[in-house]
Amino acid sequence: MPEAQPTAERTTQQSPEAAAAAAASAAAADALRAQDAWRAAACLAVDPVGLGGAVLRTDLGEVTEAWLAALASPLPPGEGLRRLPPHIDDERLLGGTDLAATLRAGRPVHARGLLEECARGFLVLPMAERAEPQLAARLGAALDQRSVLVAREGQQREFATGFALVALDGGRASDEHCVPRLRERLALHVDLAGLRADAPPALARGELEAARALLPGIQAGDEALQALCATALACGIATLRAPLLALRVARVHAALEGRDAIESGDLEFAARLVLAPRATVDPSAQASEPEPPPPEPPPEQPPDASDQPPEPRDPTEVDKLEDSVQEAAQAMIPKDLLERLAAAELARTRNGTAGRAGANTLAKRRGRPAGVRAGRPGAGTRLNLLATLRSAAPWQRLRGREAGAQAGGHAGGQATRVRVLPDDFRVTWYRQKKQTVTIFAIDASGSSALHRLAEAKGAVELLLAGCYVRRDEVAVIAFRGRQAELVLPPTRSLVRVKRSLAGLPGGGGTPMASALDLAARLMAQVGKRGQTPTLVVLSDGNANVARDGTGGRARAEADAFAAAKQLRTLGARVLLIDTAPRPQAQSQQLAELLSARYLALPQADARRMAEAVRLAG
Amino acid sequence: MRSVFPFSAIVGQDELRLALLAAAVDPTLGGVLVLGDRGTGKSTAVRALAALLPAMKVIVGCRYHCDPAMPGQWCEECRARPAKPRPKSAELPVPVVDLPLGATEDRVLGALNLEQALSAGVRAFEPGLLAQANRGFLYVDEVNLLEDHLVDLLIDVAASGVNVVEREGLSVRHPARFVLVGSGNPEEGELRPQLLDRFGLSVEIRTPQDIAQRIQIVRRRDDFERDPAGFVAHWQPQELALRKQILAGRKRLPKVRVDDAALEWSSRLCMRAGTDGLRGELTMVRAARALAAFQGHSKVGRAELLQVAPAALRHRLRRDPLDEGGSALRIERAVAELDAEDAAAGGKRA
């Protein structure tokens, strides 16, 4: 299990006593994590609508099934679990036309979608880390509004929903996570990785009903709110949904304990399951600086009884509560927080302005529907029944008469209800992700040892072999001496690549600025053709040739940085591979300016390089 | 009917509230775009506005809710009606129509009524969301996820105010004048420049970092969710007062003066900040006028112009790859430069 490894490594380097202590504390943390996980299932069963649902970090083993069973077992009839396949289309999700019934009746008959069928109960979404933004947005809107407005294919209707969502996040890498839109709205973030499937006895139906009855009456004092909001802020959580959801979780936890007011244990539980997994900052890192006293509420707000005037309280009591909640959150902040944040940042810049999210193109069969047009079905397109009927409808009388006249009257009785001619056919078009063009900018200057250049060539060839399968293209820019040159315009031809790379000479200065300028021009061109560019810069040295081809490190560096800033405005994905024996400060700075992923590969071999590029894409 | 979080109970978010109120006072401003991170309450504010809007007079039976007082903007059906007897009118809440994700073209534009066509052989038009939104608001949440073909038709209709349907043997045109309100998370992808240009005002919102404010927001939200009806009733007086203020603002709007100095200052600011086209300047002056009317002033002053400048200009600034300060900062800088210029000119004259 990858999660267990860091602890194991640490223990081997310590003295036996320290190792034992560390193992004991790790075991205690795991026990708490397990206890919380099962408790979370009970909480969600009590208040599915209020909590929205849960994100399960899981490797999809039996522990996940056990968790889902624990969630389902106390539920009253009509609130069961249903799977939501990640590739579901709008027709099945939101509702559409019942094909058979429509043809039989000769009028449009509505079919309910999954969201309507599962008006109460739980939807289980596997592979939530790969959920499409369109699906996540529909689910997010339904969770927010608690009602769904459908305006599609001749129907306009609104229905209420009371479902909760369980997102199974099976992401392995630290940058693979349930999509943010859903993470944001699902209260409980449960880490099941590495836990055993030994569930404690599940909640009984009676306990569930008792907790549900207790829930509306549970009071939350100002100090509870203060503790949650302060902890959220200390953990660097910007969204206000987090403290709100934490408050609800604390309330449900209190109801499960049979109390009518929130206590510190409830808040700590909420902090562990709602706030800690959302942390972007480790509060212990900034604990030393004293927090400013909370300012008075803004005076311009109208007097309001629902904002109860805070009763005079012992400030130390409030502080104590705040501390205990913050400690609870802190203890559960993932150890790999920094790594995860960096990964999330990478994902953000990658998907941001012009990344994959926006890079779509029309296609015949796959992707999201993108409108309806006249045309024959087949050849990969799908018939849109409703649109076809609509285009046929105005002609029905005329066609009926014609058919009657041709058949001399005797066909009238067995005439089909709707006469559809090939001209009526309407097909749905879909939107598909674009082709990618990977542009390699290879440093061929004297600073590059020849064998590294050879490895770089190898990597390009390996990648291209992979690209060909995906029908993507590759272009190569080489930079050495006075300026960069386009060695290979975008191509899919492996032979051409081999030929151009074989003749690639080495030696001379490093004209980085010129390389970036050329890359930017090429990327803009690629974008205009409707493809998505990715840039991979392979270099081991510092820029020492300025834009005008003259030498001088300072000017060369300034020019390179300016070029990097300009290139960044294209918003494309960039990967900078540093092949120097030791990581170069300038390369790192350059990567930052480019919003690029930076990778130091001193022992660059073709295979590892190709692997890195593939991951970045 | 689900309760909606009251507008007056929103804490902070001044720029967003002002922009929405300005659009409520002067619907011809061209709509509002709200961009912000997750959990900032973008859609809460927009939906709250709907409950706040005063009712409007409509012709009874008109599917596009034509205004009895504006024969120039009537639909073809209202025009075809005999002038006498005068059409009956009724009061309706201003429509705030959601354009949901996954909406299909036929439901947005309107389409042939299939049932009537198939059963009775009648070619009848079934109005869509654009017809429902006429004289009201059209709200697109997650506007940057809107399908491209819907964006295209939205741009066209929002610009012309008329929906022309030529499909399935139908030939229909009807008024579709609406305030376009969009919201989204800028990280999800960019908006097409043409669509961006359709929005009069563009607001960027963030979550407040002040702990007291954050507590207040969470507290109110929690109170609302636990007792929606009670919460709404509690805020009713403030809501009514705000609605009255909007009505008074609408009445005052035609009388609010914009003098040459204000016009000149606006165009100098636009030049200095580097905006594309004239629309920014125009929107800025009109938004300032709406704001002045809402606040009970008879004249547009520097304060109003300053308040609306970021919202009116932010999405029209020319892209500058070397400037990383953000658009609000650029406008602020332009204002400061203008002030310095004016001070120097004043010194020379003296």
Side-chain angles (χ1 to χ4, degrees):
Chain A
M1 238 135 287
E3 276 73 11
Q5 267 167 12
T7 355
E9 270 167 31
R10 227 182 298 136
T11 49
T12 54
Q13 294 157 3
Q14 289 163 346
S15 66
E17 303 88 62
S25 87
D30 266 358
L32 181 61
R33 187 156 66 90
Q35 188 190 324
D36 279 351
W38 302 114
R39 202 71 178 143
C43 284
L44 187 56
V46 170
D47 189 12
V49 174
L51 305 189
V55 180
L56 301 189
R57 186 80 172 162
T58 161
D59 28 27
L60 296 176
E62 51 182 2
V63 62
T64 308
E65 295 307 317
W67 195 92
L68 291 174
L71 171 69
S73 90
L75 294 175
E79 288 189 28
L81 268 56
R82 277 192 75 162
R83 289 255 161 184
L84 174 67
H87 56 261
I88 189 169
D89 61 6
D90 276 347
E91 173 117 17
R92 269 307 295 143
L93 185 73
L94 302 171
T97 312
D98 184 331
L99 211 129
T102 299
L103 283 177
R104 219 180 302 124
R107 67 181 171 77
V109 177
H110 175 70
R112 299 200 303 171
L114 197 57
L115 285 185
E116 199 172 1
E117 287 168 8
C118 189
R120 297 184 66 72
F122 295 84
L123 289 173
V124 180
L125 174 70
M127 299 214 288
E129 73 279 8
R130 306 192 60 87
E132 276 198 54
Q134 303 284 353
L135 174 64
R138 284 154 178 76
L139 292 171
L143 286 167
D144 276 354
Q145 296 300 310
R146 285 297 165 197
S147 90
V148 179
L149 178 65
V150 183
R152 39 178 286 108
E153 317 239 308
Q155 309 274 348
Q156 189 177 331
R157 42 205 308 279
E158 194 167 2
F159 55 86
T161 61
F163 74 92
L165 186 70
V166 179
L168 305 184
D169 175 359
R172 304 260 155 149
S174 56
D175 65 338
E176 253 188 327
H177 269 286
C178 173
V179 288
R181 200 191 304 272
L182 295 178
R183 268 175 71 81
E184 159 93 9
R185 288 172 171 85
L186 308 179
L188 300 158
H189 291 193
V190 185
D191 186 1
L192 292 182
L195 294 187
R196 270 178 300 144
D198 50 353
L203 209 60
R205 175 81 49 82
E207 286 175 284
L208 175 102
E209 272 157 13
R212 281 188 180 178
L214 213 52
L215 193 59
I218 292 180
Q219 299 301 318
D222 282 333
E223 67 281 5
L225 216 59
Q226 161 100 31
L228 289 176
C229 286
T231 304
L233 213 51
C235 293
I237 303 171
T239 171
L240 284 162
R241 279 203 188 93
L244 187 64
L245 290 171
L247 181 64
R248 291 191 205 151
V249 167
R251 205 176 255 135
V252 175
H253 191 262
L256 270 175
E257 300 286 325
R259 288 193 291 263
D260 59 359
I262 292 179
E263 285 182 6
S264 65
D266 308 322
L267 294 173
E268 286 162 20
F269 176 79
R272 289 196 299 269
L273 283 145
V274 182
L275 300 182
R278 290 172 162 87
T280 64
V281 174
D282 187 346
S284 59
Q286 51 175 28
S288 51
E289 55 183 282
E291 197 152 312
E296 291 300 303
E300 84 274 13
Q301 295 299 334
D304 170 22
S306 68
D307 300 339
Q308 291 149 3
E311 296 152 31
R313 260 193 204 84
D314 186 1
T316 55
E317 279 291 297
V318 178
D319 283 351
K320 227 190 279 168
L321 184 67
E322 221 178 287
D323 287 348
S324 79
V325 173
Q326 193 164 317
E327 267 165 35
Q330 223 163 291
M332 279 296 150
I333 286 178
K335 300 284 173 288
D336 58 346
L337 178 68
L338 281 182
E339 195 184 314
R340 273 179 38 195
L341 288 177
E345 181 60 21
L346 175 71
R348 192 186 65 75
T349 48
R350 207 197 286 159
N351 298 335
T353 49
R356 288 240 154 138
N360 290 318
T361 183
L362 278 182
K364 278 180 178 170
R365 192 163 30 179
R366 283 170 293 172
R368 282 270 153 197
V372 175
R373 35 194 89 164
R376 299 289 169 93
T381 56
R382 241 165 60 184
L383 183 73
N384 183 315
L385 175 73
L386 203 75
T388 304
L389 283 178
R390 243 202 212 104
S391 70
W395 309 101
Q396 291 308 306
R397 247 190 215 174
L398 200 62
R399 287 180 190 165
R401 231 180 283 149
E402 275 172 8
Q406 272 172 17
H410 70 266
Q414 46 187 272
T416 45
R417 231 178 257 276
V418 186
R419 280 167 228 274
V420 179
L421 298 184
D423 278 354
D424 303 326
F425 288 161
R426 294 292 181 273
V427 292
T428 308
W429 280 72
Y430 293 86
R431 199 156 288 276
Q432 192 191 23
K433 297 235 157 112
K434 278 185 200 175
Q435 265 182 6
T436 303
V437 178
T438 309
I439 301 167
F440 286 89
I442 301 177
D443 184 349
S445 67
S447 53
S448 249
L450 272 179
H451 94 271
R452 277 199 211 108
L453 194 55
E455 293 295 348
K457 291 174 188 171
V460 173
E461 289 181 13
L462 274 174
L463 270 168
L464 199 69
C467 283
Y468 188 69
V469 179
R470 300 198 314 243
R471 300 188 68 74
D472 288 350
E473 296 185 347
V474 164
V476 178
I477 291 169
F479 55 109
R480 61 179 280 271
R482 291 167 60 89
Q483 60 180 16
E485 72 174 307
L486 181 63
V487 186
L488 179 72
T491 180
R492 226 179 265 150
S493 153
L494 201 55
V495 181
R496 279 188 66 191
V497 175
K498 280 196 170 147
R499 207 178 298 141
S500 75
L501 289 182
L504 195 62
T510 308
M512 181 62 84
S514 163
L516 293 177
D517 284 345
L518 183 58
R521 271 205 302 280
L522 184 58
M523 287 157 89
Q525 262 175 33
V526 163
K528 266 194 206 127
R529 279 203 314 213
Q531 297 165 312
T532 308
T534 302
L535 175 65
V536 180
V537 182
L538 284 152
S539 174
D540 66 347
N542 294 331
N544 57 16
V545 178
R547 265 180 173 148
D548 55 9
T550 57
R553 277 193 183 273
R555 240 165 22 95
E557 187 186 89
D559 278 0
F561 286 178
K565 277 188 193 169
Q566 225 148 31
L567 196 146
R568 182 167 71 175
T569 58
L570 294 172
R573 274 165 295 144
V574 181
L575 173 69
L576 197 148
I577 299 182
D578 188 351
T579 52
R582 248 171 259 108
Q584 300 284 312
Q586 200 196 67
S587 301
Q588 286 174 21
Q589 212 173 336
L590 200 62
E592 211 168 286
L593 285 172
L594 285 164
S595 292
R597 185 169 188 171
Y598 173 82
L599 204 67
L601 277 184
Q603 304 298 324
D605 63 303
R607 232 158 253 292
R608 283 187 61 195
M609 221 183 280
E611 188 59 35
V613 173
R614 208 172 292 136
L615 283 176
Chain B
M1 183 66 208
R2 270 178 322 121
S3 300
V4 179
F5 191 83
F7 195 83
S8 27
I10 295 171
V11 180
Q13 311 294 15
D14 294 338
E15 200 190 6
L16 170 61
R17 281 195 297 175
L18 282 181
L20 290 174
L21 288 170
V25 170
D26 183 1
T28 63
L29 268 181
V32 182
L33 174 67
V34 191
L35 294 177
D37 298 333
R38 279 174 270 277
T40 42
K42 298 179 290 277
S43 63
T44 304
V46 177
R47 293 180 202 282
L49 181 74
L52 188 68
L53 294 168
M56 61 179 193
K57 275 220 166 72
V58 302
I59 292 177
V60 172
C62 175
R63 297 190 289 176
Y64 314 101
H65 13 85
C66 288
D67 185 351
M70 304 282 274
Q73 297 182 356
W74 282 359
C75 65
E76 283 164 357
E77 289 167 34
C78 287
R79 276 180 208 191
R81 239 173 243 140
K84 279 181 188 166
R86 287 171 61 112
K88 272 193 201 155
S89 71
E91 292 224 321
L92 265 188
V94 171
V96 177
V97 176
D98 254 285
L99 180 60
L101 286 168
T104 52
E105 217 168 280
D106 63 312
R107 283 315 307 146
V108 177
L109 290 171
L112 181 76
N113 185 320
L114 195 55
E115 192 154 359
Q116 282 196 37
L118 289 181
S119 58
V122 181
R123 191 178 294 179
F125 177 64
E126 194 180 333
L129 296 172
L130 293 178
Q132 288 166 31
N134 187 31
R135 297 183 63 209
F137 288 68
L138 184 70
Y139 177 40
V140 192
D141 195 6
E142 309 282 9
V143 64
N144 31 16
L145 292 183
L146 197 64
E147 313 277 358
D148 266 352
H149 63 284
L150 292 181
V151 171
D152 291 343
L153 60 93
L154 212 55
I155 290 171
D156 179 38
V157 177
S160 64
V162 182
N163 180 25
V164 181
V165 182
E166 297 284 353
R167 51 190 280 169
E168 296 149 1
L170 290 166
S171 177
V172 176
R173 49 187 289 135
H174 68 76
R177 266 176 287 270
F178 49 82
V179 179
L180 187 63
V181 180
S183 65
N185 181 341
E187 286 182 12
E188 307 271 355
E190 282 197 11
L191 246 54
R192 290 247 295 279
Q194 295 92 328
L195 182 62
L196 210 54
D197 208 35
R198 295 275 40 109
F199 291 101
L201 303 174
S202 154
V203 183
E204 278 170 18
I205 65 175
R206 285 189 182 79
T207 42
Q209 292 300 305
D210 170 42
I211 177 97
Q213 231 184 49
R214 290 174 66 103
I215 293 176
Q216 202 176 15
I217 293 170
V218 175
R219 165 65 77 194
R220 284 190 187 168
R221 192 73 219 181
D222 185 53
D223 287 345
F224 169 71
E225 275 157 15
R226 285 161 66 76
D227 178 17
F231 190 83
V232 170
H234 175 79
W235 284 90
Q236 193 62 17
Q238 281 93 324
E239 291 284 287
L240 287 179
L242 205 52
R243 181 181 295 174
K244 236 188 216 160
Q245 204 181 341
I246 293 175
L247 277 173
R250 281 192 187 164
K251 230 182 196 165
R252 193 176 295 114
L253 185 66
K255 288 178 254 161
V256 175
R257 280 180 298 118
V258 184
D259 60 17
D260 289 350
L263 285 176
E264 195 208 319
W265 191 82
S266 312
S267 70
R268 277 174 61 211
L269 179 64
C270 288
M271 273 176 15
R272 175 68 62 163
T275 59
D276 280 329
L278 282 173
R279 198 171 280 144
E281 208 172 313
L282 213 65
T283 316
M284 181 166 137
V285 172
R286 292 175 80 168
R289 188 188 338 207
L291 199 62
F294 177 74
Q295 289 166 344
H297 306 309
S298 57
K299 190 178 154 212
V300 169
R302 181 187 155 91
E304 286 85 27
L305 287 172
L306 275 181
Q307 262 181 305
V308 298
L313 304 184
R314 159 178 298 134
H315 52 306
R316 303 183 211 278
L317 294 178
R318 257 172 244 131
R319 295 234 164 151
D320 181 353
L322 296 177
D323 194 335
E324 290 167 7
S327 42
L329 206 70
R330 274 172 72 184
I331 293 164
E332 217 171 272
R333 213 181 313 151
V335 170
E337 283 170 14
L338 279 194
D339 285 351
E341 221 170 73
D342 286 347
K348 250 181 243 162
R349 236 178 276 137

